[in-house]
């Protein structure tokens, strides 16, 4: 490995972090019910729990905060924000929400009737939860390769058009409120969808009178992979590819906490005026006035500045290179990671790492615990705990992918932090046979259970042989 290009920024302000002892971490993790989600961030050394809202803002963004217009209605900051979203994503109607799931709630309430069906390229927990809460059933129509951790398909976020056609044929277009597409696909490990495939999805859906909505949380990282991998796009800029991805779709839900380099915020982008008016009405009920949607004026200013920075080639190149550096080091040391390496995270295949444990012991949750105990590094489970229970049968869902996600916040950690993580994850992998027990729920919440769940080692004091 030759590492990655020097970061296109320098550090202007620092936030101290603290290393802890193993004994301290054992106490902290037990108090957190063996769920890294419930740890205090002070007890975490390198926090790779998520790339959502954990970004470092630039000096330009911090100074934009000072321009926040905090008027309740019609704030100037809203129009700055609206213009930035329109210019870079191309949607006529821009409706602010406090974060992605706020937008998912509104869109689901606007469009879903009980008993309907939503096809999509793999689920995301909050997206599917809102679809299910409104009475729809989600159908995964992603290509089979997405479920195979070692398959190096360049666009593992692509939709299998045969599967999409089959869902339309089985339930009828009138029972499908929309097709739900993500760019990149988080639960597949940050895997992109190609522009060509998205265009085909649009054609098929529109021929059946079905709209297509895009989850744009990480569409810029998707645009990078299109530029690098998709024939015909090598000379297009990230900004041009982003517009091309959105152009095919009828609207988008955005969690600005990812690509847009901020700590909070989001929006719904729409083309249809009637739907936009309906969505604004619901934003008034659930988020805030339709010109702030749960954000402060300053948040909208920071997003507008962040959007402009997020499409800069140097930024995206350095961001993806950092992910590749971590993933490359793990891969080269024999740690099973999802390939190709994704846009925002490196995913350690927990089923392969802990192949000696049953999946009913929640192997990715167990691996997350082991990595925290080893080094104070926090990742997140993306497997059976995240997948929840089937709403009809009540049984645990065991998705094909079961992994520990190490998500990298943008512009936050340096190469030495990344190497520290790599060294320690490699060591956990080398000593994986010491992990002899999985985890069992001691408390299981009904919705999005991974956030608040508590566990205990299944049949012993600890997950290790000792
Ligand atoms: N869509 C995708 C693809 C996401 O990754 C997330 C959040 C959301 C929607 C919801 O947005 O958090 O702003 O309400 N993902 C975070 C993560 C939580 O860690 O992957 P939100």
């Amino acid at each position: 490995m030759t590492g990655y290009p020097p970061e296109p920024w320098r550090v202007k302000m620092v936030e101290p972090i603290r290393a802890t002892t193993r004994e301290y971490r054992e106490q902290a993790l037990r108090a957190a019910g063996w769920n890294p989600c419930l740890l205090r961030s002070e007890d975490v050394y390198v926090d790779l729990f998520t790339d959502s809202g954990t970004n470092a803002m630039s000096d330009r963004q911090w100074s934009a905060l000072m321009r926040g217009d905090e008027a309740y209605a019609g704030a100037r900051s809203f129009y700055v924000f609206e213009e930035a979203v329109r210019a870079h994503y191309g949607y006529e109607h821009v409706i602010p929400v406090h974060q992605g799931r706020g937008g998912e709630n509104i869109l689901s309430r606007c469009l879903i009737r009980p008993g309907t069906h939503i096809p999509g390229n793999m689920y995301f927990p909050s997206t599917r939860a809102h679809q299910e809460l409104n009475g729809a059933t989600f159908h995964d129509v992603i290509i089979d390769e997405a479920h195979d951790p070692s398959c190096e398909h360049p666009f593992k976020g692509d939709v299998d058009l045969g599967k999409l056609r089959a869902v339309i044929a089985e339930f009828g277009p009138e029972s499908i409120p929309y097709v739900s597409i993500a760019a990149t696909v988080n639960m597949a490990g940050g895997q992109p969808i190609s522009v060509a495939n998205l265009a085909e999805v649009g054609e098929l859906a529109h021929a059946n009178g079905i709209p297509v909505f895009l989850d744009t949380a990480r569409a810029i990282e998707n645009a990078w992979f299109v530029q690098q991998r998709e024939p015909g796009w090598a000379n297009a800029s990230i900004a041009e590819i982003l517009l091309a991805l959105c152009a095919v779709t009828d609207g988008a839900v955005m969690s600005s906490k990812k690509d847009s380099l901020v700590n909070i915020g989001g929006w719904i982008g729409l083309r249809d005026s009637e739907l936009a008016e309906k969505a604004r009405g619901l934003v008034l009920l659930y988020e805030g006035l339709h010109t702030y949607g749960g954000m402060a004026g300053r948040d909208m200013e920071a997003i507008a500045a962040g959007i402009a920075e997020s499409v800069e080639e140097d930024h995206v190149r350095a961001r993806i290179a950092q992910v590749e550096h971590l993933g490359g080091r793990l891969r080269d040391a024999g740690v099973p990671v999802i390939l190709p390496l994704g846009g925002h995270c490196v995913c350690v295949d927990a089923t392969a790492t802990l192949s000696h444990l049953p999946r009913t012991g929640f192997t990715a949750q167990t691996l997350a615990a082991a990595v925290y105990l080893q080094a104070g590094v926090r990742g997140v489970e993306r497997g059976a705990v995240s997948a929840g229970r089937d709403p009809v049968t009540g049984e645990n869902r065991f998705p094909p992918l079961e992994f520990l996600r190490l998500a990298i916040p943008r512009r936050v950690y340096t190469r030495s932090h990344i190497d520290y993580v790599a060294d320690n994850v490699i060591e956990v992998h080398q000593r994986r046979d010491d992990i002899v027990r999985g985890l069992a729920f001691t408390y299981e919440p009904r919705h999005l259970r991974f956030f608040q769940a508590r566990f205990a080692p299944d049949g012993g004091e600890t997950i290790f042989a000792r």
Side-chain angles (χ1 to χ4, degrees):
M1 280 304 294
T2 52
Y4 50 87
E7 288 79 2
W9 38 262
R10 56 185 173 186
V11 177
K12 191 171 257 187
M13 189 171 69
V14 297
E15 178 183 6
I17 51 176
R18 179 175 65 118
T20 52
T21 62
R22 172 142 191 147
E23 201 182 9
Y24 181 91
R25 292 194 290 275
E26 280 199 18
Q27 279 176 7
L29 192 62
R30 266 180 213 286
W34 292 80
N35 186 355
C37 287
L38 298 177
L39 289 167
R40 288 174 179 239
S41 97
E42 282 175 335
D43 295 338
V44 176
Y45 186 45
V46 178
D47 202 349
L48 305 186
F49 183 73
T50 181
D51 63 323
S52 177
T54 51
N55 304 303
M57 293 206 295
S58 68
D59 50 358
R60 286 174 283 177
Q61 286 177 288
W62 280 104
S63 49
L65 289 183
M66 299 301 292
R67 293 197 297 268
D69 175 356
E70 306 302 344
Y72 191 88
R76 186 190 61 244
S77 301
F78 167 71
Y79 297 101
V80 172
F81 160 83
E82 180 187 52
E83 183 44 40
V85 176
R86 274 188 186 155
H88 286 90
Y89 293 84
Y91 300 107
E92 165 68 15
H93 302 283
V94 180
I95 303 165
V97 291
H98 78 283
Q99 63 180 80
R101 71 200 71 181
E104 290 167 347
N105 173 37
I106 305 292
L107 191 74
S108 302
R109 282 175 184 268
C110 280
L111 295 173
I112 295 173
R113 284 171 290 109
T116 53
H117 299 269
I118 306 217
N121 57 346
M122 204 174 271
Y123 82 102
F124 183 74
S126 64
T127 318
R128 186 177 65 187
H130 282 294
Q131 292 162 352
E132 289 177 349
L133 281 171
N134 284 281
T137 304
F138 179 81
H139 300 269
D140 188 1
V141 294
I142 203 164
I143 55 172
D144 286 341
E145 286 88 338
H147 297 288
D148 175 357
S150 59
C151 171
E152 298 228 31
H153 190 290
F155 290 103
K156 277 170 120 174
D158 276 359
V159 168
D160 181 328
L161 293 160
K163 288 186 193 172
L164 178 56
R165 251 183 234 109
V167 172
I168 297 173
E170 183 175 353
F171 302 106
E174 63 290 343
S175 302
I176 302 178
Y178 60 95
V179 179
S180 178
I181 298 294
T184 58
V185 181
N186 191 352
M187 300 300 280
Q191 302 292 334
I193 180 169
S194 61
V195 176
N197 182 260
L198 184 53
E200 285 180 311
V201 170
E203 247 171 63
L204 175 58
H206 293 153
N208 285 280
I210 304 168
V212 177
F213 287 93
L214 190 63
D215 182 326
T216 43
R218 300 181 185 86
I220 287 167
E221 289 162 8
N222 198 111
W224 170 263
F225 290 119
V226 167
Q227 190 191 56
Q228 301 300 309
R229 299 178 187 167
E230 187 167 352
W233 291 96
N235 296 320
S237 68
I238 297 297
E240 287 164 346
I241 301 170
L242 179 62
L243 275 174
L245 283 164
C246 297
V248 178
T249 67
D250 300 273
V253 175
M254 176 65 171
S255 168
S256 304
K257 301 172 73 171
K258 282 80 172 177
D259 270 351
S260 299
L261 299 163
V262 290
N263 306 118
I264 194 71
W267 45 265
I268 305 169
L270 297 170
R271 302 193 198 283
D272 183 272
S273 308
E274 228 173 276
L275 177 57
E277 207 43 32
K278 192 171 171 191
R280 286 187 195 103
L282 289 180
V283 163
L284 292 172
L285 278 175
Y286 294 105
E287 298 284 305
L289 199 78
H290 60 277
T291 55
Y292 75 84
M295 286 185 283
R298 56 179 170 271
D299 298 330
M300 294 190 279
E301 293 279 351
I303 292 175
I307 289 174
E309 291 177 20
S310 68
V311 296
E312 285 173 11
E313 314 275 319
D314 282 355
H315 159 66
V316 193
R317 178 179 302 109
R319 191 285 183 282
I320 303 280
Q322 201 173 42
V323 176
E324 276 175 0
H325 179 66
L326 175 60
R329 282 212 50 204
L330 297 185
R331 181 195 55 211
D332 295 349
V335 180
V337 289
I338 294 188
L339 296 172
L341 296 167
H344 66 295
C345 61
V346 175
C347 299
V348 181
D349 183 345
T351 323
T353 304
L354 300 180
S355 56
H356 53 287
L357 297 184
R359 285 204 54 193
T360 48
F362 301 116
T363 42
Q365 190 72 34
T366 306
L367 189 58
V371 167
Y372 173 71
L373 292 175
Q374 165 78 18
V377 172
R378 172 158 70 170
V380 72
E381 191 265 5
R382 284 300 184 221
V385 177
S386 295
R389 290 180 184 271
D390 185 299
V392 178
T393 66
E395 293 297 318
N396 277 315
R397 296 188 258 217
F398 288 97
L401 294 180
E402 172 92 27
F403 56 79
L404 167 64
R405 186 188 74 171
L406 304 168
I408 304 193
R410 296 166 191 77
R411 308 192 295 205
V412 170
Y413 290 113
T414 64
R415 180 168 173 172
S416 49
H417 293 117
I418 300 293
D419 281 325
Y420 171 85
V421 172
D423 292 342
N424 281 289
V425 172
I426 290 167
E427 193 167 330
V428 169
H429 180 255
Q430 284 167 348
R431 300 223 207 123
R432 59 195 178 277
D433 290 338
D434 292 353
I435 302 170
V436 295
R437 261 175 230 105
L439 294 167
F441 278 109
T442 58
Y443 166 62
E444 183 189 347
R446 179 132 175 253
H447 299 296
L448 301 181
R449 62 183 183 176
F450 51 94
F451 282 129
Q452 291 165 293
R454 300 181 72 84
F455 302 86
D458 197 5
E461 268 296 289
T462 173
I463 57 175
F464 295 101
R466 278 267 165 81

